[in-house]
Amino acid sequence: FLLSLSLAFRVSHESRLSAMAKAVPRTVLITGCSSGIGLCMAVQLARDPGRRFHVIATMRDLRKKDKLEAAAGDTLNQTLTIQRLDVCSDESVAECINSLPEKQLDVLVNNAGVGLIGPLETISIDAMKHIFETNFFGAIRMIKAVLPAMKQRQKGHIVVISSVMGLQGIPFNDVYAASKFAIEGFCESLAVQLLKFNIFISLVEPGPINTEFEMKLMEEVAKSQFPGVDATTVHCFKEVYLPASHEIFTTMGQSPESVAKVGAVVNVIAKERPPFRTQTNPLYTPLVALKYADTSGELSVSAYYNLLFRFTRLFYICTSFLKCITCRCFRRQITPT
């Protein structure tokens, strides 16, 4: 009887310890939280019903924190705290990581990034370096800072917000796509060795995202004159690419909220064994698949060229079809009987 009682007590005690361990929230640090996906991710995780996460939402300029504070509401300074972090600065990264209790971090989300579009001839080398400094070296700087502690603990999760443009290049996005291709190759290489330490890497690849920033950027670029660029290239950019890009954003674009929650970012973070690669927009998958259907690359290159420059009307017919099948009013509503 005493033996049975002792075993029952031990099982009960271990169960309580296990429940307590599960109840301890995981610390999640997210870069680039002043707006967009970063802001939405931070708020979604902080509002988790199970309070499974403590979110450290970071941004380069704390003067832009008002929008995040308003969205965070009563989670602010409870399950969400805001800190300054510039991913392009070794000192800023070290200061932020050193401020963590015992320098312990469960999940790193590399979200900070910048975009760049336009004819290649108009983009300076310094502008290109700036893109890589944030999108590529900024992510690597963060990963290097957290890896030693994660390896020591034999546990960790690194999430990188990449892009479908890290899989398939898009005209007039040459430098931005190159920065995303670079981070994809880096993560594919690193993911293999980190499994030895029980550390997972997850690439999250959104397609077009509808934000005020994106729309404003396109409007400003459309007004540019591009001196020194040949007339054909300017025509292709302004009269073909920009209208087509606007159509794609209208048809296939996701909201930051959709990418953060429905688009699986939060789900990826919550999984015990997270996937390596997740595309958030299923409408974009067939376009990416073209690249892998033909190892010569001719299929995807020619398909994009023909749709954009030769059979433009077919392109708009395809996007109109996508509008129809994805429209809520088109879907059949099913109600319980």
Side-chain angles (χ1 to χ4, degrees):
F1 172 76
L2 290 176
L3 179 60
S4 299
L5 185 62
S6 175
L7 288 173
F9 174 79
R10 180 180 297 178
V11 170
S12 176
H13 180 64
E14 289 177 351
S15 297
R16 285 198 301 269
L17 288 176
S18 177
M20 288 174 63
K22 289 181 180 179
V24 175
R26 290 196 291 163
T27 303
V28 182
L29 188 149
I30 309 173
T31 66
C33 292
S34 61
S35 63
I37 298 175
L39 185 151
C40 293
M41 275 192 296
V43 173
Q44 291 285 353
L45 290 169
R47 292 190 179 281
D48 179 67
R51 299 175 70 89
R52 293 173 294 172
F53 311 103
H54 174 70
V55 181
I56 302 172
T58 71
M59 60 188 70
R60 184 172 57 88
D61 186 355
L62 287 179
R63 290 175 297 181
K64 298 181 179 180
K65 67 179 180 178
D66 293 352
K67 190 175 179 181
L68 174 59
E69 287 181 333
D74 58 6
T75 67
L76 188 63
N77 298 324
Q78 298 296 320
T79 54
L80 183 146
T81 56
I82 302 174
Q83 287 189 215
R84 181 187 179 277
L85 172 61
D86 181 358
V87 299
C88 297
S89 166
D90 290 334
E91 293 75 16
S92 179
V93 170
E95 182 181 352
C96 183
I97 298 301
N98 289 335
S99 72
L100 300 177
E102 301 180 2
K103 299 182 183 180
Q104 181 173 321
L105 184 65
D106 298 295
V107 184
L108 167 66
V109 183
N110 282 307
N111 170 71
V114 288
L116 183 66
I117 61 173
L120 183 63
E121 299 94 321
T122 66
I123 303 173
S124 67
I125 295 297
D126 284 340
M128 297 181 192
K129 288 180 178 178
H130 173 66
I131 295 297
F132 269 80
E133 184 60 41
T134 302
N135 295 359
F136 181 64
F137 292 111
I140 293 177
R141 189 175 281 111
M142 290 301 303
I143 292 171
K144 286 186 65 178
V146 304
L147 264 189
M150 284 186 175
K151 284 184 172 181
Q152 186 175 16
R153 294 174 57 227
Q154 296 276 300
K155 189 177 183 181
H157 188 191
I158 296 168
V159 181
V160 176
I161 307 301
S162 180
S163 168
V164 291
M165 278 196 248
L167 300 172
Q168 172 65 59
I170 302 294
F172 297 109
N173 289 267
D174 325 85
V175 179
Y176 176 78
S179 71
K180 293 301 183 179
F181 266 80
I183 198 64
E184 292 258 342
F186 172 84
C187 289
E188 281 192 1
S189 302
L190 188 62
V192 177
Q193 56 177 293
L194 289 189
L195 285 178
K196 184 73 175 176
F197 299 92
N198 195 36
I199 300 171
F200 296 92
I201 291 184
S202 295
L203 287 164
V204 177
E205 298 156 340
I209 302 171
N210 290 315
T211 64
E212 293 180 9
F213 173 79
E214 292 287 349
M215 295 300 107
K216 186 177 179 181
L217 176 63
M218 288 190 182
E219 289 175 4
E220 290 177 353
V221 169
K223 297 175 184 177
S224 301
Q225 298 301 315
F226 304 115
V229 180
D230 63 276
T232 301
T233 299
V234 173
H235 172 79
C236 287
F237 179 65
K238 286 191 170 185
E239 306 302 326
V240 180
Y241 168 76
L242 285 179
S245 182
H246 184 271
E247 183 72 9
I248 287 175
F249 270 83
T250 302
T251 305
M252 305 170 67
Q254 292 180 288
S255 67
E257 293 82 3
S258 175
V259 173
K261 187 178 181 181
V262 183
V265 176
V266 174
N267 292 333
V268 166
I269 293 173
K271 286 185 178 179
E272 185 175 343
R273 189 174 180 87
F276 173 67
R277 179 173 276 122
T278 300
Q279 290 184 29
T280 69
N281 193 335
L283 291 177
Y284 221 91
T285 303
L287 300 178
V288 175
L290 285 175
K291 181 175 181 177
Y292 299 97
D294 174 21
T295 56
S296 74
E298 181 64 24
L299 179 60
S300 62
V301 171
S302 60
Y304 273 91
Y305 173 78
N306 287 328
L307 279 174
L308 199 57
F309 297 115
R310 293 187 63 194
F311 307 115
T312 309
R313 181 168 293 183
L314 177 61
F315 166 80
Y316 284 100
I317 290 173
C318 291
T319 55
S320 296
F321 175 71
L322 285 174
K323 280 183 184 178
C324 288
I325 64 174
T326 57
C327 180
R328 287 185 178 180
C329 62
F330 183 81
R331 298 171 187 167
R332 180 184 176 185
Q333 293 186 352
I334 301 177
T335 56
T337 56

